[in-house]
Amino acid sequence: REREREINKKWERQTSASFPQVYFSSKAFGSALDVHTAGGYFLMAMIFESIKKPSDADEFYSKVVEVWSRHLRQWLQADHGVEERCLTPAQETEAQQQLQSIFDMWQKEQPPVSVFACRVQFSLGLLHHARSNLTQARLLYKSAKSIRSRLEQHFSPSVQVCCLGCVYGVCVYACM
């Protein structure tokens, strides 16, 4: 009972700062999927991880990946000038740290052949593509494609297309 109270107090302290960050970021920038919300989602995931609620943490980690992936895909699909940046230098650093941290953690805890691993690898590839680091982007895309192929061996390809098809065709084949 005492342990439960401690966890609840810890939860209240940690979330009192995080929830408003996500809420006000989404209000200010018009979407819960704006890159300005990624840091709040990442913080929420770490909070859930610290109080031993891995399924809740995974939901927030997935949201972080979705936010960065969506932003990067949209930017790469649009016609931009060579000098136009996708992210500020601080956002690039934040995206790199968050996506790499999520992928490293996921690799330790989960099988490396999963839909989530594929999405994270692909999102890291998008980030490197947006930074014009095409060599690293190609490696990450190939890794994501390899994971996807292994997934298709175990599951129906139509399931994978639903999960990955929308992100997979954006620039992978143009890059490879």
Side-chain angles (χ1 to χ4, degrees):
R1 191 85 177 139
E2 185 61 33
R3 172 90 172 119
E4 189 176 314
R5 274 195 283 267
E6 277 182 47
I7 289 173
N8 286 338
K9 284 182 184 178
K10 184 177 181 180
W11 164 257
E12 287 174 20
R13 278 193 314 274
Q14 292 175 331
T15 58
S16 65
S18 303
F19 282 134
Q21 179 184 353
V22 172
Y23 175 77
F24 289 118
S25 292
S26 62
K27 283 289 190 194
F29 296 100
S31 170
L33 293 177
D34 185 273
V35 294
H36 294 90
T37 62
Y41 288 134
F42 189 75
L43 185 58
M44 291 302 299
M46 292 186 336
I47 290 169
F48 279 112
E49 195 77 36
S50 75
I51 61 169
K52 310 278 187 258
K53 294 190 177 226
S55 63
D56 292 328
D58 287 348
E59 285 183 44
F60 280 102
Y61 286 133
S62 291
K63 195 64 131 175
V64 171
V65 172
E66 181 182 0
V67 165
W68 289 117
S69 179
R70 180 175 179 249
H71 178 77
L72 293 164
R73 279 192 332 260
Q74 287 175 347
W75 188 84
L76 288 168
Q77 285 176 330
D79 189 22
H80 294 284
V82 175
E83 297 300 315
E84 191 175 344
R85 293 185 68 112
C86 173
L87 301 167
T88 66
Q91 288 172 328
E92 283 183 12
T93 301
E94 182 181 18
Q96 177 67 41
Q97 289 173 342
Q98 289 174 2
L99 292 171
Q100 192 64 54
S101 173
I102 291 167
F103 185 74
D104 292 345
M105 177 202 58
W106 191 263
Q107 269 193 317
K108 283 188 253 178
E109 297 175 7
Q110 302 293 327
V113 179
S114 68
V115 172
F116 187 76
C118 186
R119 285 185 176 153
V120 177
Q121 285 282 70
F122 186 77
S123 297
L124 282 166
L126 290 171
L127 178 61
H128 284 282
H129 191 148
R131 291 171 135 173
S132 297
N133 183 353
L134 298 182
T135 302
Q136 186 65 29
R138 281 186 194 101
L139 291 172
L140 290 159
Y141 290 148
K142 284 181 183 180
S143 176
K145 187 176 180 180
S146 172
I147 292 169
R148 182 178 182 210
S149 295
R150 286 184 274 166
L151 284 168
E152 287 176 342
Q153 291 173 0
H154 299 288
F155 301 102
S156 165
S158 64
V159 172
Q160 298 312 312
V161 169
C162 292
C163 295
L164 302 171
C166 60
V167 297
Y168 217 80
V170 172
C171 56
V172 173
Y173 297 112
C175 236
M176 293 180 126

